[in-house]
Structures are given as structure tokens and as C-alpha cells.
Amino acid sequence: QVQLVESGGGLVQAGGSLRLSCAASGRTFSWYAMGWFRQAPGKEREFVTAMTWNIDATYYADSVKGRFTISRDKAKNTLYLQMNRLQPEDTAVYYCAVRSSPTTNLAYPGSYNYWGQGTQVTVSS
């Protein structure tokens, strides 16, 4: 089993920054990748970014490229999402997720085996 706990969300003005954390516990040695998704009210959950656990390959949605950065501290089993130049359209609940086996589609929510409870990010204009 894997447990994921997100933190770091909050209210920020447009143009500001936040850093989200996702602390993981459990069978971390079997992970293939970790990712961040977000879900705004009335919308489907959408891919934000992902990172493969062993070779550090990173992937970003076009909407966040150049503004968001995914990183991780392997010793702490913690995933981070640095979000800069936040905009009101970034407002959503942000979730971290783990994929335990290789996949060609890290942008698909259904590819992930474990999810955190989410943390709210609200960007005011």
C-alpha cells in the first residue's frame, strides 16, 4: 500500500507562488512515476506534471510549462510542485498520484494506482 499526503495549498494573488508537497509512505521501491493533477469545480481532473522515479524524466501540461516545476526528494519520499506566476485559471484542488508500473501515458489519470486527498489552491485576480 501507498499513502500520499499533500500540503502547501492556500490562497494567493495572481502572479504569486506556492509550493505543494506530497509526502509518501509505503512500498516506494516499486514506483514507476509520480504526478500532479488538478480538478476545478465542474471540470474533469487534468494532468499537470509527472516525473519518473528512477531516471527523473519530467513531463508538463502546456498550460503550466515555464511556470511550474516538479521535483522530488528521494530520501524523504516527497514530491514537490513549485508553482510560479499563478493565474486564476490555476485555481483547483491539486492531487498527487503514484504509478507503480511502466506506462506510455502518464497524462491519463486512470494510469495511476494511488492518490492523495488533495489540497486546495485558490488564485485571486
Side-chain angles (χ1 to χ4, degrees), residues 33 44 46 54-55 84 91 110:
E44 294 187 351
E46 67 171 357
N54 288 327
I55 64 172
N84 298 327
T91 295

Side-chain angles (χ1 to χ4, degrees), residues 15-31:
S17 299
L18 282 174
R19 188 175 84 151
L20 305 183
S21 300
C22 175
S25 60
R27 296 172 58 88
T28 59
F29 62 87
S30 63
W31 296 353

Side-chain angles (χ1 to χ4, degrees), residues 1-93:
Q1 270 291 2
V2 176
Q3 292 80 42
L4 304 172
V5 179
E6 301 100 333
S7 61
L11 174 64
V12 64
Q13 288 188 333
S17 299
L18 282 174
R19 188 175 84 151
L20 305 183
S21 300
C22 175
S25 60
R27 296 172 58 88
T28 59
F29 62 87
S30 63
W31 296 353
Y32 174 71
M34 292 185 75
W36 289 96
F37 288 76
R38 66 188 182 186
Q39 189 165 18
K43 294 188 177 181
E44 294 187 351
R45 192 166 297 189
E46 67 171 357
F47 172 73
V48 176
T49 179
M51 168 183 276
T52 56
W53 196 246
N54 288 327
I55 64 172
D56 293 353
T58 57
Y59 308 87
Y60 293 91
D62 288 342
S63 59
V64 306
K65 276 181 186 175
R67 300 189 299 124
F68 291 11
T69 303
I70 189 172
S71 63
R72 59 110 171 89
D73 185 327
K74 219 170 184 179
K76 295 182 180 179
N77 288 335
T78 300
L79 185 73
Y80 301 101
L81 179 63
Q82 178 66 45
M83 304 185 294
N84 298 327
R85 290 185 282 135
L86 283 160
Q87 299 301 316
E89 52 265 34
D90 295 316
T91 295
V93 177

